[in-house]
Amino acid sequence: MRRCMSKFPATRHKSPFALKGPRCILLAVLILTFCLTGSAAEATTTTSIGANLLQDPGFETSLGSTAYWEQSSTNFGSPLCNDDSCGTAGGSAGPRTGSIWAWFGGTANTEAASLSQAVTIPAGAWTLEFYFWIGSAHEGSDNADIFTACIDNSTVFTADATQAGLYPSYTLVSVDVSAWADGASHLVAFSSITTGQVVNFNLDDVALLLPVTTTTTTPPTTTTVAPTTTTTVEPSTTTTVEMETTTTTSVKAGPCPATQVLGAGNPQLDDMRAFRDSALAQSALGRKVTSIYYRKAGSINAALEERPMLRALARRAFEIIAPE
């Protein structure tokens, strides 16, 4: 306790700690209280995906059925395939998930194919998503061999045989279709035309999605500190203490909360720094308090910023402890 009452190095004005030891104790308590207040409540924004408006998005029940998807193909009757009915063309065609996928092209004959589904799109920021893969584009194929995705008669995505390098495996394609989000029914369609050479366009896992944003608040955490034990030494007792020299490297998590409360350049900050260096730094507990203070600085600053009343109380407390 006498250490708190020892004189500090001279500053720009006389330190109140050199005169009034109890203020040292109060400052230590205030700092420790700040450190252990816990982090300010944090708001976390999470974006999740709502329901898919499209029926049978993976085509698993639509091979041989038009209950959900209208289908056409010049040579095959439908672009929908499984391994048994279509094969995999040496690994250049196949499903992404499940066993059914849409294979557009796949023949040297002129081929035109399509898949479509009518869906009502409510208001909102809807996105059309699908996985697309150009498995092969034989010699002679060009930009006339084309795959398109449309809403009604408007093209929202297109790729041709010359872009095979952009889709070497199933790649997610996302298209903003909120322009059609008017509560009316619209036709979502996928189609292709290939002429005179083999081009394999693969489609799977189609979705019409509305991102849903939710915000959750994490309550502040509170740390409980066990009471400390105080040892009183009688005045007549002479105690010799071996002082341990400790070198500490600390990384501050943010600006000093005292600076935020009092303002940079406030002479009271010099007293507090002197107290830190000449009193707190001389004991293990003091060094622990200082370490926690700086480690928690970001959270303390956030709490002070969010709670003006807490900031005002902190400033008043500092003014009482270290008057100018």
Side-chain angles (χ1 to χ4, degrees):
M1 193 60 64
R2 290 177 179 175
R3 184 178 298 136
C4 274
M5 298 177 66
S6 62
K7 291 187 177 180
F8 298 142
T11 59
R12 287 176 292 179
H13 65 292
K14 194 170 185 179
S15 169
F17 302 118
L19 300 176
K20 299 184 179 181
R23 286 179 175 166
C24 296
I25 303 171
L26 187 54
L27 178 58
V29 171
L30 178 62
I31 291 175
L32 189 58
T33 300
F34 268 179
C35 294
L36 302 179
T37 298
S39 302
E42 297 180 358
T44 302
T45 300
T46 304
T47 300
S48 57
I49 301 301
N52 187 354
L53 292 183
L54 295 173
Q55 300 295 312
D56 192 23
F59 313 123
E60 296 301 310
T61 64
S62 294
L63 183 63
S65 170
T66 58
Y68 300 119
W69 293 96
E70 292 294 328
Q71 310 161 33
S72 68
S73 168
T74 304
N75 293 278
F76 309 107
S78 169
L80 295 183
C81 285
N82 61 18
D83 289 352
D84 293 338
S85 62
C86 301
T88 62
S92 63
R96 175 180 177 269
T97 59
S99 59
I100 312 296
W101 83 102
W103 181 357
F104 295 87
T107 178
N109 298 325
T110 298
E111 164 71 3
S114 68
L115 277 175
S116 63
Q117 183 176 139
V119 61
T120 298
I121 307 178
W126 293 91
T127 299
L128 177 64
E129 293 187 352
F130 54 89
Y131 285 86
F132 179 66
W133 167 34
I134 303 179
S136 66
H138 288 193
E139 185 177 354
S141 59
D142 55 27
N143 57 11
D145 302 299
I146 193 168
F147 172 91
T148 59
C150 297
I151 303 291
D152 297 334
N153 293 319
S154 299
T155 299
V156 296
F157 172 82
T158 183
D160 61 59
T162 66
Q163 298 173 301
L166 299 178
Y167 306 95
S169 60
Y170 271 113
T171 303
L172 177 63
V173 176
S174 297
V175 182
D176 180 3
V177 295
S178 55
W180 290 270
D182 56 6
S185 179
H186 298 278
L187 190 68
V188 177
F190 302 92
S191 62
S192 75
I193 296 177
T194 55
T195 56
Q197 59 285 312
V198 176
V199 180
N200 294 331
F201 296 121
N202 298 275
L203 174 72
D204 204 356
D205 298 325
V206 180
L208 189 55
L209 302 170
L210 177 66
V212 178
T213 301
T214 57
T215 300
T216 57
T217 301
T218 303
T221 57
T222 302
T223 305
T224 302
V225 179
T228 57
T229 301
T230 302
T231 302
T232 303
V233 180
E234 293 297 328
S236 59
T237 303
T238 301
T239 304
T240 302
V241 180
E242 294 290 334
M243 298 300 294
E244 179 183 353
T245 302
T246 303
T247 301
T248 304
T249 301
S250 61
V251 179
K252 296 184 181 181
C256 174
T259 302
Q260 178 170 322
V261 171
L262 297 174
N266 191 309
Q268 293 167 281
L269 295 174
D270 291 334
D271 293 325
M272 294 173 190
R273 294 187 185 107
F275 173 67
R276 175 197 64 196
D277 298 337
S278 299
L280 292 179
Q282 303 308 313
S283 69
L285 177 59
R287 290 192 294 272
K288 182 65 173 176
V289 168
T290 303
S291 174
I292 296 173
Y293 175 75
Y294 284 120
R295 190 169 65 249
K296 288 280 190 177
S299 298
I300 298 170
N301 286 336
L304 292 170
E305 187 68 28
E306 293 174 6
R307 301 166 186 157
M309 181 62 73
L310 177 60
R311 182 168 181 166
L313 290 173
R315 183 177 182 86
R316 181 56 182 155
F318 279 130
E319 289 172 347
I320 293 173
I321 296 167
E324 294 186 8

